Each structure stands twice: as structure tokens, then as C-alpha cells.
């Protein structure tokens, strides 16, 4: 069967609970919309707390009663590798479904989303196989650290990088022996459902992985509230994150919050100009600017401000916007018309705040079936003060603002002058300056002369309103496990040389 036909077959999606695909208990559904046309592509269950209840109960049984609790690290790593292989074997179906749900270009899901999901499973298979635990000797005893699963974990993910971010949580959670209740965004449910299918096929025992579709306020909230869920790993907006924290913290659940950003992209006059332009284009408009790490505030040293502005405006106007399934397309649709309206609202606000729209800012005239799609021309705005709302609030679309600066101190003041603290990029050929600026930036991650250059071992996460906790490599394995210390008393001086 051609992949386009296979995609059509993935229209009536179901929950995945205790190894079975099932509808919501009350049979309610939500429409799944293809944002490039605004047409209905299928339905998902509109689950409620009663569905979460069954999912948690299955996950608890799988944790305590089934074969999962007896699996070795190597057996679990083998399963992760088998999942990675199955995704690879169904690569095109995953890539098409991801583009259909998000409206992002197929070229991007092929290049980034699906390859990363595969690497996430392979990476955590290797990481857990090679992980080590601590040993602390005393003069009369020794301590060793035992890692145990946290229990049933709740994984809640957003729509911008659906499988990429879900697999980033599922892989380490499985590696450490937890059982899972996952909720993908209601806007992008398909690849998570295909992942459930893959998980069921490679021999992961039933009840280990549950997927419950539905709205955040109904399903997400029920997951966070559930007393038998011991940890929540949440990626999404800061406002939702606050609510998740307020619900989970009084229950003393382990909590990882990966939230929004308003990231500075700082261009010094001594940068490699071409590379900085190229990097700024990627940091601004990848995934239609819907990456939490996008550099939406572009700070440019005054000597090169005009030349830099001219270069990126020209390149932005040349970006190819269109049918997400066309391999030539560089800019696809935003995730929904509602989101498009929110992003456009910020462009209007920018004008009221005195901004000058240098390019974009409008919905393009689209042909045929795409006429009602959620498209927005990539937008560059200049002339705004760093304090105004457009520059302070996360827009999460293809919109950047440009800001001239004179000194390092001024750049840092603007860069750090927001409530967010996720990531930053710095472009300079002066190594000392790069170190000094990087250390002074209030962000969890800094890229120097690059953007979104990822090593899966490094700590990933934000400061301030961008989140709590770190994911990645050993950080994820630590989050998804409880470290317990065992102290064995050995008698006097057992550990002293010559005694
Ligand atoms: P969102 O906060 O609206 O939704 C995220 C998820 O939370 C969805 O699955 C949603 O259904 C669910 N949810 C909503 N209300 C809930 C509640 N009361 N309880 C539990 N779950 C609930 O975010 P979004 O619009 O899907 O995603 C965009 C946001 O995600 C942006 O702010 C972006 O910066 C952020 N993000 C952050 C990272 C990161 O790693 N820091 C990565 C990607 C996206």
C-alpha cells in the first residue's frame, strides 16, 4: 500500500490501554484537523478521568504483577532498540502523519522529527546499558546506590514536536523500568498512536505503556491529579506548567517541567557574518518558529545592524511557503487557525507598540485546498523597545523582533530582561567574549556560533519561568528512578590499607 493510503487509514484513532486499542468509555470524540487545509482528517477519543482511572490501574498492575518488574536492564534496552527499528521500518508513515497533524513540512519531519525519535530510543538503550551507580566506602562500612523505578509516570507533551518530545520521555521512562500513562497534545495525536502500535508489536508487556487522548483540562489534569501516579514529566506552556506544578507539588510527585522560552539570539559585530545570518534563519523560522528554543529576539550590534537586517529580510522573503507535503516547501502551516490568530494578534500588538513590520505579518493568499490553511508569512519586526509585550511574551510562531545594541553589558541586560530563561545563541569570533557572555546569560543552555546543536547526553532545561529540572542522558535516567542508599556495616577498619 502506498504511504498516502496508509495515512488515510490512520483516521479513527483510539486510546491504548492494557495492550488494547479502545475508545473513550463514553464514546465521545474530538476532530483531528489538518492545519494546512483546516479540513477534518479524523477523530480521537475525548477521554475523561474515568479513562485515566483504567489506564492507571493497568499501569499499576503491569508494574507490580506482570513480567515487566522482572526484566533486566539489557532486556529493556533490547526493547528500546526494537522500537527504534520498527519506527525506522515505518519511517515514511510516521513522517507523513506528523506533517498531517502539525502542518509542518514533510522535509522537516523526515530530517528532524522522526530521525530524532529513533535516536532517542537508541540513545537511551545505550545510556542505560552503560549507566553506573555510586559506591561510597567508609572505614567500617560501604554504601551503594540502588536505582528503582519511580512507579507509574505521567508523560504530557505539546504539539510542536510531537513524537520527538514524547519519545524523549518514553525511552528513559521504559529504560528505568517504569510504567507509563501518556497524553499527547489533542492537536497532534497520530504518531503517538502509531508508537503505541509499535510498542505493542515489539513485545513490551501489556499495561506498560498507556496512551490516553483528549483535552488538557480533562485528561491532562486527571493524570496530574491521580494519587497513584508518582512522577509527572510535562513539556508545554508556562501557564499550563504552573497549573501542573500547583496540582502535583502538594502530592509530592516528582516533577519535571520543560516550559516556554523567549530566547535571545545575540549577534556581535565580530561574528562570521554569513554563518550568523544562516544560523539566525534557522533559529527564527524552523518549524514555523514553533520550537521552544527558537531565537525570537535577535540582538544585533549596531555597527552591523543595517547590513544584518537587510540580509535576513532578503532571505526571509525568499523562503518557500506552501503545501507541507511538497519536498520543496520550507515553511508550512502553523498548528491551527486558533494559534495563527494568536500569533497574528501579536503582530497587531507590535504595530500598536510602535513596531515596524519589515516583512510578512500577513496570511498569504493560498491556492485551492490550502485557502483556509493556517499559514502566516514569516515576519520580521524592528523598532520595538525590549520592555514591550511583543518582546516580553512568547509568541511561538514565525515572528522575530530585531534590537540594536552597543556594548556587551547592554546586550546582556536586554537578553536577561525577560521572565524566561530557556536558551540563547551567541555569535562572535572572540573566544573570551563568548565565554564571558555565556556565563552571564540567565538561560539553561547557550549555543556559541550555532543553534540547536544537540548532544543527547547534556543537561536540557530552563531557568526562571522556562521550567524546573533537567532532562537528557543521566539526568533523565535519574528523574525516572529513585536512588536508594544501602549501607552495609563491615566492622572496624575493613577498608584501611594494612589493617
Ligand atoms: P500547552 O501547555 O497548551 O499544552 C501542553 C500539553 O499539556 C498538552 O498535551 C495539553 O493538552 C496539556 N494540558 C493542557 N492543560 C493541562 C492541564 N491543566 N493539566 C495537564 N495537562 C494539560 O502547550 P502547547 O501549546 O501544546 O505547546 C506549546 C508550548 O510548549 C510553548 O510554550 C513552548 O515553548 C512549550 N515547549 C517547551 C519545550 C521545552 O523543552 N522547554 C519544548 C516544546 C514546547
Amino acid at each position: 500500500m502506498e504511504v498516502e493510503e496508509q495515512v488515510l487509514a490512520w483516521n479513527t484513532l483510539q486510546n491504548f490501554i492494557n495492550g488494547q486499542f479502545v475508545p473513550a468509555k463514553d464514546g465521545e470524540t474530538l476532530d483531528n484537523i489538518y492545519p494546512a487545509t483546516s479540513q477534518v482528517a479524523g477523530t480521537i477519543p475525548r477521554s475523561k478521568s474515568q479513562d485515566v482511572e483504567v489506564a492507571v490501574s493497568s499501569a499499576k498492575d503491569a508494574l507490580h504483577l506482570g513480567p515487566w518488574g522482572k526484566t533486566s536492564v539489557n532486556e529493556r534496552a533490547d526493547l528500546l532498540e526494537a522500537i527504534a527499528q520498527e519506527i525506522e521500518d515505518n519511517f515514511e508513515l510516521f513522517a507523513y502523519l506528523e506533517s498531517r497533524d502539525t502542518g509542518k513540512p514533510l522535509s522537516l519531519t523526515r530530517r528532524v522529527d522522526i530521525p530524532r525519535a529513533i535516536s532517542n530510543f537508541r540513545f537511551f538503550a545505550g545510556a542505560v546499558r552503560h549507566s553506573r551507580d555510586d559506591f561510597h566506602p567508609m572505614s567500617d562500612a560501604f554504601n551503594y546506590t540502588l536505582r528503582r523505578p519511580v512507579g507509574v509516570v505521567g508523560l504530557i507533551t505539546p504539539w510542536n514536536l510531537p513524537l520527538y518530545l514524547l519519545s524523549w520521555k518514553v525511552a528513559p521512562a521504559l529504560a528505568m523500568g517504569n510504567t507509563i500513562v501518556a497524553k499527547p497534545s489533542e492537536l497532534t495525536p497520530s504518531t503517538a498512536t502509531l508508537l503505541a502500535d509499535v510498542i505493542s508489536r515489539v513485545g513490551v508487556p501489556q499495561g506498560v505503556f498507556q496512551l490516553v487522548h483528549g483535552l488538557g483540562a480533562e485528561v491532562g489534569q486527571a493524570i496530574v491529579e491521580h494519587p497513584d501516579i508518582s512522577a509527572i514529566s510535562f513539556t508545554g506552556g508556562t501557564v499550563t506548567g504552573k497549573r501542573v506544578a500547583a496540582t502535583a507539588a502538594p502530592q509530592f510527585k516528582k516533577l519535571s517541567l520543560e516550559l516556554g522560552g523567549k530566547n535571545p539570539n545575540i549577534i556581535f559585530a565580530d561574528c562570521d557574518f554569513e554563518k550568523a545570518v544562516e544560523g539566525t534563519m534557522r533559529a527564527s523560522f524552523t518549524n514555523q518558529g514553533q520550537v521552544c528554543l527558537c531565537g525570537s529576539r535577535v540582538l544585533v550590534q549596531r555597527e552591523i545592524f543595517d547590513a544584518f537586517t537587510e540580509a535576513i529580510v532578503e532571505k526571509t522573503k525568499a523562503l518557500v511557503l506552501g503545501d507541507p507535503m511538497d519536498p520543496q516547501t520550507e515553511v508550512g502551516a502553523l498548528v491551527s487557525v486558533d494559534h495563527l490568530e494568536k500569533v497574528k494578534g501579536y503582530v497587531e500588538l507590535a504595530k500598536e507598540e510602535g513596531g515596524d513590520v519589515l516583512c510578512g505579518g500577513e496570511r498569504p493568499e493560498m491556492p485551492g485546498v490550502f485557502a483556509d490553511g493556517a499559514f502566516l508569512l514569516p515576519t520580521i519586526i524592528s523598532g520595538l523597545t525590549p520592555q514591550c509585550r511583543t518582546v516580553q511574551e512568547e509568541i511561538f510562531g514565525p515572528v522575530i523582533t530585531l534590537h540594536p545594541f552597543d556594548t556587551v553589558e547592554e546586550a546582556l541586560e536586554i537578553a536577561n530582561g525577560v521572565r524566561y530563561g530557556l536558551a540563547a545563541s551567541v555569535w562572535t569570533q572572540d573566544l573570551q567574549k563568548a565565554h564571558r557572555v555565556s556565563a552571564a546569560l540567565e538561560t539553561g543552555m547557550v549555543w556559541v556560533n550555532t543553534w540547536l546543536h544537540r548532544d543527547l547526553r547534556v543537561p536540557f532545561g530552563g531557568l526562571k519561568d522556562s521550567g524546573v529540572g533537567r532532562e537528557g542522558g543521566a539526568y533523565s535516567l535519574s528523574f525516572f528512578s529513585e536512588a536508594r542508599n544501602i549501607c552495609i556495616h563491615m566492622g572496624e577498619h575493613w577498608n584501611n590499607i594494612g589493617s
Side-chain angles (χ1 to χ4, degrees), residues 95-157:
Y96 268 83
L97 286 174
E98 203 71 301
S99 289
R100 181 190 71 179
D101 281 4
T102 56
K104 68 173 80 181
L106 185 60
S107 57
L108 188 67
T109 59
R110 281 178 174 156
R111 196 176 70 249
V112 174
D113 296 71
I114 310 308
R116 172 59 70 78
I118 295 167
S119 352
N120 284 341
F121 282 106
R122 294 213 167 112
F123 168 77
F124 279 109
V128 74
R129 272 194 223 281
H130 299 289
S131 65
R132 293 188 302 184
D133 279 314
D134 290 332
F135 175 81
H136 295 98
M138 302 164 75
S139 63
D140 61 349
F142 65 78
N143 299 271
Y144 63 91
T145 307
L146 198 59
R147 292 213 164 259
R148 287 285 181 252
V150 185
V152 180
V153 298
L155 311 181
I156 302 177
T157 47

Side-chain angles (χ1 to χ4, degrees), residues 113-435:
D113 296 71
I114 310 308
R116 172 59 70 78
I118 295 167
S119 352
N120 284 341
F121 282 106
R122 294 213 167 112
F123 168 77
F124 279 109
V128 74
R129 272 194 223 281
H130 299 289
S131 65
R132 293 188 302 184
D133 279 314
D134 290 332
F135 175 81
H136 295 98
M138 302 164 75
S139 63
D140 61 349
F142 65 78
N143 299 271
Y144 63 91
T145 307
L146 198 59
R147 292 213 164 259
R148 287 285 181 252
V150 185
V152 180
V153 298
L155 311 181
I156 302 177
T157 47
W159 47 258
N160 64 323
L161 296 161
L163 189 67
Y164 176 128
L165 290 172
L166 182 62
S167 54
W168 182 237
K169 298 181 191 299
V170 170
L174 291 180
M176 297 313 284
N178 300 279
T179 59
I180 294 170
V181 178
K183 190 204 106 56
S185 167
E186 54 275 26
L187 301 179
T188 54
S190 300
T191 50
T193 315
L194 189 53
L195 176 67
D197 187 47
V198 161
I199 285 176
S200 73
R201 276 188 275 128
V202 300
V204 174
Q206 66 181 47
V208 171
F209 179 79
Q210 268 65 226
L211 187 70
V212 189
H213 289 293
L215 299 173
E218 295 175 348
V219 174
Q221 186 71 25
I223 290 174
V224 179
E225 281 173 6
H226 203 292
D228 293 335
I229 292 190
S230 312
I232 299 288
S233 176
F234 171 86
T235 301
T238 294
V239 172
T240 320
K242 250 183 210 170
R243 195 180 173 126
V244 167
T247 310
Q251 295 185 52
F252 306 111
K253 291 180 199 278
K254 270 188 117 171
L255 199 52
S256 168
L257 298 171
E258 299 289 345
L259 309 177
K262 188 76 180 178
N263 310 300
N265 178 22
I266 309 173
I267 323 287
F268 286 99
D270 60 9
C271 69
D272 177 326
F273 191 87
E274 289 307 318
K275 282 195 181 144
V277 168
E278 200 51 49
T280 298
M281 292 302 294
R282 284 183 58 231
S284 303
F285 300 122
T286 297
N287 202 27
Q288 295 70 243
Q290 302 166 129
V291 180
C292 54
L293 307 161
C294 274
S296 52
R297 295 181 296 144
V298 185
L299 283 47
V300 188
Q301 203 154 21
R302 203 172 300 275
E303 292 99 294
I304 61 164
F305 186 82
D306 289 346
F308 195 85
T309 301
E310 196 181 318
I312 58 166
V313 168
E314 190 189 318
K315 279 196 181 284
T316 301
K317 284 180 175 165
L319 287 171
V320 179
L321 178 146
D323 176 0
M325 304 301 171
D326 181 337
Q328 304 305 318
T329 295
E330 294 170 298
V331 180
L334 273 63
V335 75
S336 67
V337 170
D338 280 353
H339 186 59
L340 167 77
E341 293 303 334
K342 181 192 144 197
V343 175
K344 261 202 101 230
Y346 273 106
V347 178
E348 297 313 314
L349 175 68
K351 289 180 195 160
E352 286 164 27
E353 290 181 318
D356 188 8
V357 178
L358 304 181
C359 64
E362 298 294 334
R363 283 180 84 160
E365 290 258 325
M366 298 296 290
V369 289
F370 301 111
D372 294 326
F375 293 91
L376 182 72
L377 290 168
T379 306
I380 301 181
I381 303 170
S382 176
L384 291 167
T385 64
Q387 292 76 30
C388 67
R389 274 185 56 208
T390 312
V391 188
Q392 290 286 319
E393 297 174 16
E394 185 185 46
I395 300 176
F396 215 56
V399 178
I400 59 168
T401 58
L402 303 182
H403 308 273
F405 70 86
D406 290 300
T407 62
V408 167
E409 289 66 34
E410 193 188 351
L412 284 171
E413 194 182 321
I414 301 172
N416 291 335
V418 292
R419 293 192 58 80
Y420 293 102
L422 191 55
S425 280
V426 179
W427 299 84
T428 174
Q429 298 196 78
D430 177 339
L431 193 58
Q432 284 201 350
K433 191 195 290 174
H435 283 296

